[in-house]
Amino acid sequence: MRVVVPFSASEPKTRLAPVLTADERRQFARVMLDDVLCALVEVGVEPELLATAPVDLDRDVSVTVDERPLDPAVDDVLAETDGPVAVVMADLALATPAALDRLLDADGDVVLAPGRGGGTNAVVARHPDFRVDYHGASIRDHRAIADRIGADVTEIDAYRLGTDVDEPGDLAEVLLHGEGRSGEWLRAAGFELVVEDGRTTVERA
């Protein structure tokens, strides 16, 4: 199976701007990416990075630079590949080898890992006509696309794949449940958990 990880290399994670500088956002995005790649390697696959700009990695991973938006870049991968393709987002800082193994082993013409808020955090496409649409409530659109081409769909209900890190509030999940370097990076940057009125948030020292 071909496994592709899209990555915005130039201005990643803009919604974290209230708590991280532009340089910190780039650093943190790279650490999350490394966590995802490491987990995929542990599963036994060879992930490919689909980046919007050149990226130097600490590991031997194939990198394809495609400056286009996410949809056409991923669709070209799907169109040119004879066989199943998995697309795993680079900000799944909670992803573990076990969670990813469950995704890749799931049966179905199309396997979807829904994200919070209606997104799609991972896809396995075995149907040759499946294409993506990551705009808006993409999980709903991907269900509709699969239905339109007559593909059966399996959805993975997994907390670790359903949690993508986009907003400041998501950082608490990384500190609470992350098993990779992302949580370590946040702690080194001064973030800590704070419990107020029964809710866990983060503060920066």
Side-chain angles (χ1 to χ4, degrees), residues 11-12 22 77 108 125 137 156-158 163 169 172 175 178 199 201 204:
E11 291 295 329
V77 171
I156 302 296
D157 183 12
T163 304
L175 289 175
R199 293 190 59 83
T201 60
R204 192 171 193 182

Side-chain angles (χ1 to χ4, degrees), residues 38-45 96-102 104-105:
C38 183
L40 285 168
V41 169
E42 287 192 41
V43 171
V45 300
T96 59
L100 290 166
D101 194 45
R102 180 181 168 203
L104 300 177
D105 283 349

Side-chain angles (χ1 to χ4, degrees), residues 119-135:
T120 307
N121 288 350
V123 174
V124 175
R126 297 188 177 93
H127 195 291
D129 296 329
F130 182 78
R131 298 294 182 266
V132 297
D133 183 353
Y134 285 105
H135 301 290

Side-chain angles (χ1 to χ4, degrees), residues 51-52 65-77:
T52 57
V65 175
D66 193 325
E67 299 177 353
R68 295 177 299 167
L70 183 60
D71 285 359
V74 171
D75 279 347
D76 272 7
V77 171

Side-chain angles (χ1 to χ4, degrees), residues 19 36 108:
V19 294
V36 171

Side-chain angles (χ1 to χ4, degrees), residues 5-81:
V5 180
F7 181 63
S8 176
S10 51
E11 291 295 329
K13 297 295 149 197
T14 55
R15 282 184 281 176
L16 291 176
V19 294
L20 294 174
T21 67
D23 186 55
E24 288 173 331
R25 294 196 303 274
R26 284 189 287 270
Q27 292 177 37
F28 184 52
R30 288 287 299 274
V31 174
M32 289 195 293
L33 168 64
D34 191 65
D35 279 346
V36 171
L37 294 176
C38 183
L40 285 168
V41 169
E42 287 192 41
V43 171
V45 300
E46 297 182 0
E48 305 173 31
L49 189 61
L50 183 63
T52 57
V55 179
D56 292 325
L57 298 173
D58 296 332
R59 59 182 67 248
D60 186 16
V61 172
S62 172
V63 180
T64 298
V65 175
D66 193 325
E67 299 177 353
R68 295 177 299 167
L70 183 60
D71 285 359
V74 171
D75 279 347
D76 272 7
V77 171
L78 295 172
E80 72 186 20
T81 305

